[in-house]
Structures are given as structure tokens and as C-alpha cells.
Amino acid sequence: MPAAELLVTPTSNLFPPLFGYILAGVFGAVIGSFLNVVIHRLPREESIVFPNSRCPSCGAAIAFYDNVPVLSYVLLRGKCRGCQKHISARYPLVELLCAVLFVAVAWHDGLSAALAFDLIFAAALLALVFIDAEHMLLPNAITYPGIIFALIARLALPYLTATHHFDDLPSLAHGALSNSPIWLTSLVGGLLGALIGGGSLWLMGWTWEKLRGIEAMGLGDVKMMFMVGGYLGWRLTIITIFLGVLSGSVIGILLMARAGKKDMQMLLPFGVFLGIGAIAALLFGSQVADWYAGQF
Ligand SMILES: [Zn+2]
């Protein structure tokens, strides 16, 4: 089989699929463990590489055998071995979610060059979701490198996968950009997605500010959607925003009804809903967009 053909094969038969999924799950749990450190330390502006993992209560260093994803939490019954203080359930939750997410992305991509990029993208989104949920903050330390990462992926992936990996490429390559080289088409698609993603979030914030006279949306959401749009392209970005606004509104209304608040002042971490929407769009968006386009 020629090398080029190996590249475009979406699922390789190098090893059985089940083994691949188990590997993806274990790798996801380990990365989830690292994301816990990022989620805890980035908003506090601490270094994410030094020192090693510590108990948030007593500060004791956590031994490697107490730092096994999910398993250690279960064995220690959610308590620090030193001070016996309760450890947040967020730790095993992030590890478990990251494991599931990595299996889902592996299922979506198969063994391909795209898999590495999609895993990084999904992990960054997971970190953003949990940081925004806790701190109402989407750190530049993730979104800025995320935007650069999206542009690099846009340039590299069309060559590495030898396919139209990005969902928006077929529509662009057969449209106005049919005579352009694939890297240019891919880059223009990324810029288009970034403008639609960041632009609509900026517009939503601006409109809300004019209507209510208060700043409702931080620029963090705009930067996050620059990153998401740049990576996913315009089709999946529209789906991301649709899912984010829909789920955010439903949860917001439910929360306000529960709290009995008539005033719409309550702030929601919108990045949480956008992040979940972007993950859903990455995994299932193309099928939804194709189905929708087929209705006309
Ligand atoms: Zn402790």
C-alpha cells in the first residue's frame, strides 16, 4: 500500500479498535488529571508545572500512588491521606469526563493526524468549561495560544490528513476559493469561522450592554469563540453558538425561576455552555449540518 493511501485511511487496523479505545480512555484520564492542575492553578496565576500536585487544604505533596486518576479518589474515599479533609468531586469528575471525551474523539477521528489536534482542542475546551464554571473567567493563557493553535491546525491538517478534515472546507473549496491552494482555503475558512464566532459574541455583549446599560459579557467569551471558530469553521461555529445560546437560556431561566429572581441581572458563565456546544459540534455537528442542508 503506498504511503499516501495509509495517510487517508480513517481507521487503521494496526491494532484492534477496542484496545485503541481503552488506550484513549486511559490517556484521557491522565490528561484530565493534568487539566485539574490547570483548572486549579491558572485562575490563581500559579505555575502549572511546579510544584507537584498538593492537597488544596493542608498543602501536603500528593504521592504518585495517591495521584492515580479516578482510582485514588475512590480508594481514599475522597479524602486527603494527610489531613483527612474532603477533596472536591471535581477532580475525579474532570478525569472521568476527559476519559469519555477522548474515547468519543477517537471514535470520531479514528487513528489519524487529526486525532492529535482534536484531542488538544477538546482538552482545552474542557479546561475552559470548568474554569469558567468556578471563576466566571476564560483565561487568556488558554484562549490566546488556542487561537494560534487553531491557525496552525488550519495550515497543517489539510496536508497531514490529505482530506478535507475541516467541516467547512468542501463548501469553500467548491465555491469562491475553488482555484486557491488548499492551505489558503483552509486559512480563509478559519478566519471566517473566527470572525463569525468572535463577532457574534461581541455583538451579543454590545447589544446587551446598550439595552441594559451593564457589561454582561466579558471579552473572554469573544476570544474563546475566536479560537473555536478558527478551528471548527463557520458551519460548526454556528451550531456551537446555537447550542450555547439555547442551553444557556434554558438553564438561565430554570435557575432564575428557582431563585425567584424577576430581575435579569443574574450572570451565567456563558463559556460553559459555549464550550459544551463546541464539543458537541466537534463530535456530531457535521452530520447535523449535512442533514439540515439536505432539507432544501
Ligand atoms: Zn490534606
Side-chain angles (χ1 to χ4, degrees):
M1 193 187 290
E5 211 169 311
L6 265 176
L7 273 176
V8 293
T9 312
T11 39
S12 161
N13 290 322
L14 278 177
F15 44 139
L18 184 66
F19 181 70
Y21 289 133
I22 292 171
L23 205 66
V26 171
F27 183 54
V30 171
I31 296 298
S33 186
F34 167 69
L35 291 184
N36 273 321
V37 177
V38 171
I39 291 163
H40 182 79
R41 293 187 187 173
L42 256 196
R44 295 171 176 82
E45 300 194 334
E46 297 169 6
S47 162
I48 54 168
V49 273
F50 187 84
N52 290 330
S53 299
R54 285 172 184 282
C55 166
S57 296
C58 67
I62 296 168
F64 72 92
Y65 50 82
D66 283 342
N67 210 4
V68 181
V70 186
L71 211 63
S72 288
Y73 187 86
V74 176
L75 290 175
L76 292 168
R77 294 195 180 81
K79 289 179 190 132
C80 167
R81 191 186 284 278
C83 67
Q84 296 293 315
K85 285 257 171 62
H86 186 72
I87 293 168
S88 166
R90 191 197 71 213
Y91 287 87
L93 182 68
V94 168
E95 287 156 0
L96 212 57
L97 279 177
C98 198
V100 172
L101 187 58
F102 274 33
V103 171
V105 174
W107 160 80
H108 180 270
D109 285 352
L111 196 61
S112 72
L115 179 60
F117 284 85
D118 281 350
L119 289 180
I120 293 171
F121 181 65
L125 287 173
L126 196 61
L128 286 172
V129 164
F130 276 89
I131 292 173
D132 199 32
E134 196 177 335
H135 301 275
M136 299 280 285
L137 177 83
L138 297 160
N140 290 340
I142 298 178
T143 52
Y144 284 161
I147 294 167
I148 308 281
F149 164 79
L151 293 180
I152 292 170
R154 278 278 162 179
L155 290 173
L157 270 181
Y159 294 101
L160 288 175
T161 59
T163 56
H164 285 166
H165 171 69
F166 292 113
D167 171 87
D168 57 334
L169 282 189
S171 65
L172 291 172
H174 297 123
L177 294 162
S178 55
N179 291 320
S180 306
I182 186 70
W183 66 267
L184 185 62
T185 309
S186 184
L187 198 60
V188 170
L191 293 176
L192 193 64
L195 281 180
I196 288 174
S200 25
L201 260 291
W202 181 84
L203 201 65
M204 273 186 237
W206 184 83
T207 311
W208 194 251
E209 217 177 306
K210 290 287 157 227
L211 286 175
R212 307 280 317 179
I214 47 163
E215 198 184 337
M217 224 169 300
L219 280 177
D221 298 282
V222 176
K223 293 171 202 161
M224 177 188 180
M225 286 309 293
F226 261 115
M227 163 190 153
V228 169
Y231 191 75
L232 291 181
W234 67 273
R235 294 192 348 149
L236 300 184
T237 299
I238 290 172
I239 292 178
T240 300
I241 292 170
F242 175 77
L243 290 174
V245 170
L246 186 72
S247 58
S249 309
V250 170
I251 300 292
I253 289 166
L254 286 176
L255 283 178
M256 270 187 285
R258 220 179 118 200
K261 280 195 185 178
K262 289 195 190 84
D263 196 21
M264 295 268 287
Q265 296 274 8
M266 211 162 93
L267 281 172
L268 272 185
F270 196 30
V272 172
F273 301 99
L274 290 170
I276 295 169
I279 289 170
L282 173 73
L283 292 173
F284 310 109
S286 296
Q287 287 95 315
V288 175
D290 286 341
W291 170 83
Y292 184 76
Q295 301 297 302
F296 302 99

